């Protein structure tokens, strides 16, 4: 690990930190990154890269910066960057894309994605949306109508900043390519080619020196797909509710957040600003809760202690509590139960009400019916999620041949590297043949979004868990999805990865922001 500057380079000047939130050659802001850049080194690099064309800057990035990604909203500059990367000679490493789907993009922007996929078929696109919601309607239900009008900073955090931080953490991002240019004005007018933000993330602006006309000329020359809104007077396209066409002679980004002093979306503002904002939000919530929940806390504790006694009966009952998610989080540890045996028969319609319930299921894995979902990246490495049917006896039920009836459920065993996708490449312990007891979380799996390709089971290709489809392929399988859990011990993870034993998820309850916690009674 390293930092942007060494202690003897510290500058106590009140002008040491930039308003933009990025450390540059003229700032003393401290940042920590796996990519070590001293202040002098950063200044030198910017002086040298300033003289280069974008293609040369991109070539330098792909050969120098580890864990490099491109963040894009499919604006013109981002599309030009994407095209330039595809044309780099010498087999330059591919750079994956991160797209933050705020759920409020123009239809034209979403349609553009398909054109980009066709033009660049090898492109890897990672889509991140606001936590716990999949549609604009769900977003409004969770956060209220027109949040961007009521609280712009909260909207930026929920729709952009938190998803970006989640993406950077899950993908182990150390450096990103952006589509920002100085000619866009505002805080971008004096930015460097390379910046380091206060979290240590390296941000590279390869087209910083280009004008809109240069970008437009490149798009025309190379027939790069672009957003059709640009032909209708738009020059910078963001969410539909904060983007307008501009007039002749106006800055490119004049159509963004018209009538407001705001010039940047949340992901390019200092993280410290959002930290202060969140602390203020928490303070307000705490005051509100103190007024409203004095009696409710006692009731919540009482109900959380009700014993669960009849899980095996298979009758699932749930009482929803109308508590805010912030209050629920404080009592999350009291709501976690010991894992319980999964009933032989489970009503699929009840599963969503038991998201994240810890369960035990005993049976034999049907490795001959294994399905791989992917690609999925873990710590920068490509791989797959291993989904294996677990065949179980249904006690008390017998078929026409007087044998005990068997049924199956789908178990997401966890992640394996791409190199061990073939079962023959894995260690024998990765494919247990005897009876096993799986401990995991009963889940309602994620749904396909607009950017995920359709499954092609006839080719053995799965991109998302379509439970109904998968259960039908397996046969005699309930539409039940369990995610196997494990203790995230580093040595165990290394051993599993080497042998091709799926790396399961941690056994923890992650509460969605727009759901109340459940108290279970049986």
């Amino acid at each position: 690990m390293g930092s942007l500057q060494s202690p003897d380079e510290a500058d106590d000047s009140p002008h040491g930190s930039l308003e933009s939130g990025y450390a540059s050659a003229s700032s003393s802001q401290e940042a920590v990154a796996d990519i070590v850049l001293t202040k002098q080194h950063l200044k030198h690099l910017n002086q040298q890269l300033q003289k280069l064309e974008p293609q040369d800057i991109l070539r330098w990035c792909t050969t120098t910066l580890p864990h490099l990604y491109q963040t894009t909203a499919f604006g013109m500059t981002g599309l030009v960057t994407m095209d330039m990367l595809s044309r780099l000679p010498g087999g330059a490493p591919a750079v994956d894309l991160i797209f933050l789907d705020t759920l409020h993009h123009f239809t034209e922007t979403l349609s553009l994605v398909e054109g980009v996929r066709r033009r660049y078929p090898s492109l890897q696109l990672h889509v991140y949306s606001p936590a716990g919601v999949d549609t604009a309607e769900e977003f409004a239900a969770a956060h209220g109508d027109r949040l961007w009008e009521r609280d712009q900073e909260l909207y930026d955090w929920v729709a952009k900043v938190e998803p970006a931080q989640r993406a950077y953490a899950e993908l182990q991002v150390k450096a990103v390519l952006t589509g920002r240019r100085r000619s866009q004005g505002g805080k971008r007018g004096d930015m460097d080619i390379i910046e380091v933000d206060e979290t240590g993330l390296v941000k590279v602006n390869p087209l910083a020196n280009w004008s809109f006309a240069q970008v437009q000329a490149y798009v025309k020359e190379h027939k790069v797909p672009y957003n059709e809104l640009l032909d209708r007077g738009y020059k910078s396209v963001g969410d539909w509710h904060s983007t307008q066409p501009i007039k002749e002679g106006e800055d490119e980004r004049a159509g963004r957040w018209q009538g407001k002093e705001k010039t940047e979306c949340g992901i390019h503002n200092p993280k410290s600003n959002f930290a202060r904002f969140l602390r203020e939000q928490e303070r307000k919530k705490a005051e509100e809760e103190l007024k409203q929940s004095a009696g409710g806390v006692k009731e919540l504790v009482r109900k959380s202690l009700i014993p669960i006694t009849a899980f095996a009966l298979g009758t699932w009952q749930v009482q929803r509590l109308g508590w805010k998610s912030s209050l629920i989080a404080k009592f999350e540890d009291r709501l976690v139960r010991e894992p319980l045996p999964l009933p032989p028969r489970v009503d699929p319609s009840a599963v969503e009400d038991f998201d994240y319930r810890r369960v035990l299921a005993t049976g034999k894995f049907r490795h001959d019916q294994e399905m791989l979902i992917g690609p999925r990246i873990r710590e920068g490495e490509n791989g797959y999620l291993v989904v294996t049917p677990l065949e179980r006896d249904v006690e008390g039920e017998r078929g026409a041949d007087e044998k005990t009836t068997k049924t199956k459920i789908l178990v997401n065993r966890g992640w394996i590297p791409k190199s061990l996708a073939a079962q023959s490449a894995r260690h024998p312990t990765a494919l247990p043949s005897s009876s096993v007891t799986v401990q995991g979380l009963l889940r309602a799996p994620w749904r396909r979004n607009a950017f995920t390709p359709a499954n092609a089971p006839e080719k053995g290709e799965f991109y998302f868990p379509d439970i109904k489809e998968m259960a039908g392929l397996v046969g005699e399988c309930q539409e039940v999805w369990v995610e196997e859990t494990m203790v995230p011990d580093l040595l165990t993870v290394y051993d599993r990865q080497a042998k091709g034993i799926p790396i399961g998820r941690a056994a923890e309850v992650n509460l969605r922001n727009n759901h109340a916690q459940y108290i279970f009674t049986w």
Side-chain angles (χ1 to χ4, degrees):
M1 302 292 285
S3 63
L4 183 62
Q5 59 177 2
S6 57
D8 60 341
E9 297 164 349
D11 174 12
D12 294 328
S13 165
H15 305 291
S17 63
L18 294 180
E19 184 183 2
S20 67
Y22 302 107
S24 66
S26 62
S27 82
S28 63
Q29 196 166 0
E30 189 171 320
V32 178
D34 288 345
I35 302 169
V36 180
L37 295 175
T38 65
K39 184 177 180 180
Q40 285 77 12
H41 191 193
L42 187 64
K43 181 177 181 180
H44 172 75
L45 288 174
N46 275 308
Q47 288 174 341
Q48 300 305 311
L49 295 176
Q50 174 69 23
K51 306 170 187 177
L52 302 181
E53 289 299 317
Q55 293 90 336
D56 298 316
I57 295 173
L58 290 171
R59 186 179 297 109
W60 176 86
C61 289
T62 58
T63 57
T64 306
L65 301 177
H67 296 281
L68 175 68
Y69 287 76
Q70 180 185 352
T71 58
T72 183
F74 295 95
M76 283 250 282
T77 313
L79 293 164
V80 167
T81 299
M82 192 187 312
D83 188 80
M84 287 179 172
L85 285 168
S86 73
R87 297 173 184 272
L88 288 181
V95 177
D96 288 8
L97 264 65
I98 298 173
F99 174 51
L100 303 179
D101 180 11
T102 64
L103 307 178
H104 297 90
H105 284 291
F106 285 95
T107 302
E108 290 82 353
T109 302
L110 302 180
S111 298
L112 173 62
V113 177
E114 294 309 313
V116 169
R117 284 188 184 277
R118 289 192 296 271
R119 177 66 179 271
Y120 311 99
S122 62
L123 184 69
Q124 290 288 335
L125 177 63
H126 307 275
V127 183
Y128 282 81
S129 302
V133 293
D134 297 305
T135 65
E137 292 74 20
E138 290 181 6
F139 187 96
H143 304 288
D145 290 332
R146 307 182 76 82
L147 177 61
W148 54 88
E149 291 181 354
R150 295 182 288 105
D151 195 329
Q152 181 65 58
E153 282 194 293
L154 179 57
Y155 176 78
D156 279 350
W157 171 263
V158 173
K160 303 172 186 178
V161 179
E162 188 282 328
Q165 291 183 1
R166 182 161 23 99
Y168 297 161
E170 291 182 3
L171 300 174
Q172 297 291 299
V173 178
K174 304 301 180 186
V176 294
L177 302 171
T178 83
R180 297 180 300 151
R181 292 178 286 106
R182 297 190 186 108
S183 63
Q184 291 170 326
K187 295 178 182 179
R188 304 183 178 193
D190 58 355
M191 68 184 182
D192 285 330
I193 302 292
I194 304 181
E195 303 170 305
V196 180
D197 75 9
E198 59 191 339
T199 70
L201 181 70
V202 176
K203 293 195 173 185
V204 184
N205 311 304
L207 275 74
N209 291 331
W210 273 29
S211 66
F212 182 80
Q214 287 176 292
V215 174
Q216 203 169 30
Y218 183 99
V219 167
K220 185 176 181 180
E221 178 183 355
H222 296 283
K223 295 181 172 57
V224 178
Y226 64 90
N227 197 320
E228 61 187 78
L229 291 174
L230 297 172
D231 295 329
R232 304 180 204 164
Y234 294 81
K235 281 193 174 181
S236 177
V237 180
D239 289 339
W240 62 262
H241 53 71
S242 59
T243 308
Q244 301 290 333
I246 65 171
K247 298 176 182 177
E248 188 69 30
E250 286 186 317
D251 288 340
E252 285 179 48
R253 293 173 65 80
R256 304 290 294 278
W257 307 288
Q258 281 190 350
K260 300 180 181 180
E261 295 182 2
K262 181 180 177 65
T263 61
E264 285 289 354
C265 69
I267 59 174
H268 294 305
N269 281 328
K271 185 178 179 182
S272 57
N273 285 358
F274 286 101
R276 289 194 296 269
F277 164 71
L278 290 176
R279 286 196 296 269
E280 179 63 16
Q281 291 289 312
E282 287 301 314
R283 184 188 65 78
K284 291 179 180 179
K285 286 182 180 179
E287 290 179 353
E288 185 69 18
E289 289 160 7
L290 284 174
K291 296 177 182 178
Q292 297 182 1
S293 64
V297 170
K298 293 181 180 178
E299 181 68 5
L300 180 61
V301 174
R302 184 185 70 78
K303 291 184 177 180
S304 69
L305 296 176
I306 297 174
I308 300 174
T309 59
F311 190 85
L313 296 176
T315 304
W316 293 12
Q317 300 173 342
V318 64
Q319 182 178 6
R320 296 176 181 265
L321 299 179
W323 295 90
K324 293 182 180 179
S325 59
S326 57
L327 181 60
I328 295 168
K330 296 179 181 179
F331 294 94
E332 182 178 359
D333 58 331
R334 301 183 185 180
L335 301 176
V336 176
R337 308 293 193 195
E338 287 299 313
L340 299 172
L342 191 70
R345 299 286 185 186
V346 179
D347 180 2
S349 66
V351 171
E352 188 171 355
D353 287 338
F354 291 84
D355 228 358
Y356 294 104
R357 191 70 177 97
R358 297 173 66 194
V359 296
L360 297 171
T362 300
K364 290 186 177 182
F365 280 128
R366 288 292 303 270
H367 301 293
D368 58 316
Q369 296 181 322
E370 176 183 280
M371 293 165 278
L372 301 180
I373 297 178
R376 286 289 184 275
I377 291 180
R378 183 182 182 277
E379 296 185 356
E381 183 174 357
N382 244 330
Y384 297 95
L385 295 179
V386 179
V387 179
T388 310
L390 183 71
E391 191 171 65
R392 304 189 302 149
D393 291 336
V394 181
E395 298 297 336
E397 289 188 19
R398 294 186 179 276
D401 57 0
E402 293 302 314
K403 293 183 179 180
T404 301
T405 302
K406 296 184 181 293
T407 184
K408 303 168 192 169
I409 62 171
L410 298 172
V411 177
N412 173 10
R413 298 182 62 200
W415 181 92
I416 60 171
K418 184 178 180 180
S419 59
L420 299 177
Q423 291 186 359
S424 59
R426 301 177 213 164
H427 192 275
T429 55
L431 302 164
S433 57
S434 58
S435 180
V436 297
T437 296
V438 174
Q439 180 169 315
L441 302 180
L442 187 62
R443 289 300 322 276
W446 69 94
R447 289 172 285 181
R448 179 190 178 197
N449 60 34
F451 308 97
T452 303
N455 290 337
E458 69 280 2
K459 300 179 182 178
E461 296 176 359
F462 298 90
Y463 301 98
F464 71 101
D466 185 328
I467 300 303
K468 186 173 183 179
E469 176 185 60
M470 289 179 160
L473 290 170
V474 169
E476 297 299 325
C477 184
Q478 300 182 64
E479 295 175 20
V480 175
W481 176 270
V482 173
E483 296 187 349
E484 188 170 2
T485 58
M486 59 171 282
V487 177
D489 174 75
L490 188 61
L491 294 179
T492 301
V493 168
Y494 284 159
D495 181 63
R496 282 180 172 237
Q497 183 165 342
K499 295 178 178 178
I501 303 174
I503 299 171
R505 58 168 295 162
E508 57 187 16
V509 178
N510 299 319
L511 303 181
R512 295 180 179 178
N513 290 335
N514 62 324
H515 283 75
Q517 176 59 34
Y518 306 138
I519 301 293
F520 301 88
T521 57
W522 303 92

